[in-house]
Amino acid sequence: MDDDAPCHVCKKLVYNSDVKKALGHRYHRWCFRCTKCNATLTLGKERAHEDQAFCERCHQSLFGAQGFRGAGSSIDAHERSTAVHTPVATPQSAVPLHIPAQQPASVGAAGAGGAQKFCSSCGTAASGAARFCASCGSQM
């Protein structure tokens, strides 16, 4: 291994304070990552295949034993899901078909400030100074 060799990943100069020597190459400590999942590798626990560095799990899932009780697809469980923001469709039943319009305030009507009161539950106009709706019984 040549001491003035560039980083195997980014091909830039590697200073001795930032060097990781593994698999016959020099790496920056931030470039020494798994080729598949991009996880930071630990010296001595990396695996090589065709001059590329892999973590143990990715190497086993890509190049290890397959079949019953073999590597299978469950080895990939350490990878994070990339589908974090999946679109959610709003069902048609959740969209209101009729949105009641706001009742206009009539001039000279009963109530504070001259505005007529309406029931917040059913929208019926209040009669006089009533505290409860005559239609549905809810409090005004």
Side-chain angles (χ1 to χ4, degrees), residues 73-122:
S73 61
S74 63
I75 291 294
D76 295 334
H78 72 286
E79 293 181 19
R80 292 187 176 154
S81 173
T82 56
V84 177
H85 300 288
T86 55
V88 177
T90 304
Q92 192 64 25
S93 62
V95 179
L97 298 176
H98 173 66
I99 300 173
Q102 187 155 355
Q103 302 284 344
S106 58
V107 180
Q116 186 176 4
K117 288 187 177 180
F118 291 92
C119 176
S120 61
S121 298
C122 67

Side-chain angles (χ1 to χ4, degrees), residues 20-40:
K20 290 231 180 184
K21 297 178 183 179
L23 309 172
H25 299 288
R26 292 168 51 97
Y27 297 87
H28 288 109
R29 55 190 159 105
W30 52 84
C31 290
F32 192 53
R33 296 183 167 274
C34 176
T35 305
K36 184 179 179 201
C37 71
N38 206 30
T40 303

Side-chain angles (χ1 to χ4, degrees), residues 23 34-37 41 45-66 71-72 75-76 78-79:
L23 309 172
C34 176
T35 305
K36 184 179 179 201
C37 71
L41 296 174
K45 293 191 175 187
E46 74 279 355
R47 300 290 179 255
H49 185 82
E50 294 180 357
D51 213 27
Q52 293 183 343
F54 293 92
C55 66
E56 291 177 285
R57 286 185 166 187
C58 288
H59 187 269
Q60 181 67 23
S61 70
L62 292 170
F63 314 111
Q66 298 293 319
I75 291 294
D76 295 334
H78 72 286
E79 293 181 19

